[in-house]
Amino acid sequence: MSEKTLSIIKPDAVAKGVIGQIIDCFASNNLKIAALKMIHMSKREAQGFYAVHSERPFFDSLTDFMSSGPAVVMVLSGENAISKNRELMGATNPAEAAEGTLRKRFATDIEKNAVHGSDAPETAREEIVYFFPELEIVNF
Ligand code: ADP
Ligand code: MG
């Protein structure tokens, strides 16, 4: 089933200059880019995006990091896009991420872990509308 998911190339990966390598990985795994933009989130925007984690001890540090520099937000589209993207990303903690995954290749640590991907259809819908109005998303 064709799905859409939200992907973010986080500020650490943008700073490392690996936007192209990450996009290449999506392209070579049949995930198409249905929307894409570079943004620099404010602290408040990062807090809104990660509101589900607001009670976690790492929330303040995480939202500082996410608002520390530019990030690339994308809608990826394709067969099982949500789980496929999660597989390509690897585990949250890069120390536990499988060889060849984006987090294994590019993450710094469990917080600065290079990429975000939605984890389920409902969160994908919510996260996509957080960043993209309907008009900015193409349908293949
Ligand atoms: P994922 O991004 O794999 O879905 P979570 O939803 O659990 O992971 O966490 C959201 C983000 O919060 C992670 O990608 C990471 O940047 C950060 N994070 C998660 N766990 C920790 C932790 N124990 N310490 C610091 N940051 C964390
Ligand atoms: Mg998550």
PDB file of all heavy atoms in Angstrom, residues 1 11 20 23 55 59 65 74 104 136:
ATOM      1  N   MET A   1       0.844  -1.198   0.000  1.00  0.00           N
ATOM      2  CA  MET A   1       0.000   0.000   0.000  1.00  0.00           C
ATOM      3  C   MET A   1       0.883   1.254   0.000  1.00  0.00           C
ATOM      4  O   MET A   1       1.821   1.346   0.788  1.00  0.00           O
ATOM      5  CB  MET A   1      -0.877  -0.010   1.256  1.00  0.00           C
ATOM      6  CG  MET A   1      -1.943   1.043   1.228  1.00  0.00           C
ATOM      7  SD  MET A   1      -2.853   1.163   2.788  1.00  0.00           S
ATOM      8  CE  MET A   1      -1.567   1.592   3.950  1.00  0.00           C
ATOM      9  N   PRO A  11      19.383  18.771  12.449  1.00  0.00           N
ATOM     10  CA  PRO A  11      20.477  19.756  12.327  1.00  0.00           C
ATOM     11  C   PRO A  11      21.886  19.168  12.379  1.00  0.00           C
ATOM     12  O   PRO A  11      22.800  19.703  11.721  1.00  0.00           O
ATOM     13  CB  PRO A  11      20.221  20.695  13.517  1.00  0.00           C
ATOM     14  CG  PRO A  11      18.736  20.634  13.723  1.00  0.00           C
ATOM     15  CD  PRO A  11      18.367  19.198  13.430  1.00  0.00           C
ATOM     16  N   GLY A  20      22.731  15.098   0.922  1.00  0.00           N
ATOM     17  CA  GLY A  20      22.709  14.376  -0.353  1.00  0.00           C
ATOM     18  C   GLY A  20      22.772  12.874  -0.167  1.00  0.00           C
ATOM     19  O   GLY A  20      22.018  12.128  -0.801  1.00  0.00           O
ATOM     20  N   ILE A  23      19.354  11.640   1.154  1.00  0.00           N
ATOM     21  CA  ILE A  23      18.329  11.636   0.102  1.00  0.00           C
ATOM     22  C   ILE A  23      18.597  10.509  -0.904  1.00  0.00           C
ATOM     23  O   ILE A  23      17.681   9.843  -1.373  1.00  0.00           O
ATOM     24  CB  ILE A  23      18.247  13.022  -0.577  1.00  0.00           C
ATOM     25  CG1 ILE A  23      17.610  14.017   0.409  1.00  0.00           C
ATOM     26  CG2 ILE A  23      17.458  12.960  -1.886  1.00  0.00           C
ATOM     27  CD1 ILE A  23      17.501  15.434  -0.107  1.00  0.00           C
ATOM     28  N   GLU A  55       7.110  15.301  28.619  1.00  0.00           N
ATOM     29  CA  GLU A  55       7.382  14.904  30.005  1.00  0.00           C
ATOM     30  C   GLU A  55       8.712  14.160  30.157  1.00  0.00           C
ATOM     31  O   GLU A  55       9.104  13.800  31.269  1.00  0.00           O
ATOM     32  CB  GLU A  55       6.242  14.024  30.553  1.00  0.00           C
ATOM     33  CG  GLU A  55       4.868  14.692  30.529  1.00  0.00           C
ATOM     34  CD  GLU A  55       4.850  16.031  31.258  1.00  0.00           C
ATOM     35  OE1 GLU A  55       5.424  16.102  32.377  1.00  0.00           O
ATOM     36  OE2 GLU A  55       4.305  16.995  30.712  1.00  0.00           O
ATOM     37  N   PHE A  59      13.573  16.294  27.007  1.00  0.00           N
ATOM     38  CA  PHE A  59      12.765  17.178  26.151  1.00  0.00           C
ATOM     39  C   PHE A  59      13.428  18.537  25.911  1.00  0.00           C
ATOM     40  O   PHE A  59      13.471  19.026  24.778  1.00  0.00           O
ATOM     41  CB  PHE A  59      11.379  17.377  26.771  1.00  0.00           C
ATOM     42  CG  PHE A  59      10.448  18.216  25.946  1.00  0.00           C
ATOM     43  CD1 PHE A  59      10.000  17.784  24.705  1.00  0.00           C
ATOM     44  CD2 PHE A  59      10.018  19.460  26.414  1.00  0.00           C
ATOM     45  CE1 PHE A  59       9.123  18.562  23.944  1.00  0.00           C
ATOM     46  CE2 PHE A  59       9.147  20.238  25.664  1.00  0.00           C
ATOM     47  CZ  PHE A  59       8.704  19.787  24.433  1.00  0.00           C
ATOM     48  N   PHE A  65      18.365  21.223  20.625  1.00  0.00           N
ATOM     49  CA  PHE A  65      19.080  20.648  19.474  1.00  0.00           C
ATOM     50  C   PHE A  65      18.283  20.837  18.177  1.00  0.00           C
ATOM     51  O   PHE A  65      18.840  21.296  17.163  1.00  0.00           O
ATOM     52  CB  PHE A  65      19.355  19.161  19.723  1.00  0.00           C
ATOM     53  CG  PHE A  65      19.632  18.356  18.487  1.00  0.00           C
ATOM     54  CD1 PHE A  65      20.660  18.710  17.617  1.00  0.00           C
ATOM     55  CD2 PHE A  65      18.862  17.244  18.182  1.00  0.00           C
ATOM     56  CE1 PHE A  65      20.907  17.969  16.461  1.00  0.00           C
ATOM     57  CE2 PHE A  65      19.104  16.499  17.033  1.00  0.00           C
ATOM     58  CZ  PHE A  65      20.122  16.871  16.163  1.00  0.00           C
ATOM     59  N   MET A  74      10.788  16.597   4.961  1.00  0.00           N
ATOM     60  CA  MET A  74      10.344  15.977   3.711  1.00  0.00           C
ATOM     61  C   MET A  74       9.121  15.108   3.943  1.00  0.00           C
ATOM     62  O   MET A  74       8.981  14.512   5.015  1.00  0.00           O
ATOM     63  CB  MET A  74      11.427  15.026   3.165  1.00  0.00           C
ATOM     64  CG  MET A  74      12.623  15.680   2.581  1.00  0.00           C
ATOM     65  SD  MET A  74      13.901  14.426   2.226  1.00  0.00           S
ATOM     66  CE  MET A  74      14.535  14.149   3.856  1.00  0.00           C
ATOM     67  N   LYS A 104      23.351   4.616  11.967  1.00  0.00           N
ATOM     68  CA  LYS A 104      24.686   4.030  12.145  1.00  0.00           C
ATOM     69  C   LYS A 104      25.725   4.851  11.384  1.00  0.00           C
ATOM     70  O   LYS A 104      26.816   5.118  11.875  1.00  0.00           O
ATOM     71  CB  LYS A 104      24.680   2.580  11.635  1.00  0.00           C
ATOM     72  CG  LYS A 104      25.968   1.845  11.865  1.00  0.00           C
ATOM     73  CD  LYS A 104      26.157   1.550  13.338  1.00  0.00           C
ATOM     74  CE  LYS A 104      27.325   0.617  13.586  1.00  0.00           C
ATOM     75  NZ  LYS A 104      27.313   0.170  14.992  1.00  0.00           N
ATOM     76  N   GLU A 136       1.559  22.039  -0.872  1.00  0.00           N
ATOM     77  CA  GLU A 136       3.005  21.824  -0.993  1.00  0.00           C
ATOM     78  C   GLU A 136       3.369  20.344  -1.138  1.00  0.00           C
ATOM     79  O   GLU A 136       4.548  19.995  -1.143  1.00  0.00           O
ATOM     80  CB  GLU A 136       3.743  22.427   0.219  1.00  0.00           C
ATOM     81  CG  GLU A 136       3.688  23.946   0.250  1.00  0.00           C
ATOM     82  CD  GLU A 136       4.474  24.543   1.408  1.00  0.00           C
ATOM     83  OE1 GLU A 136       5.248  23.833   2.081  1.00  0.00           O
ATOM     84  OE2 GLU A 136       4.297  25.748   1.669  1.00  0.00           O
TER      85      GLU A 136
END
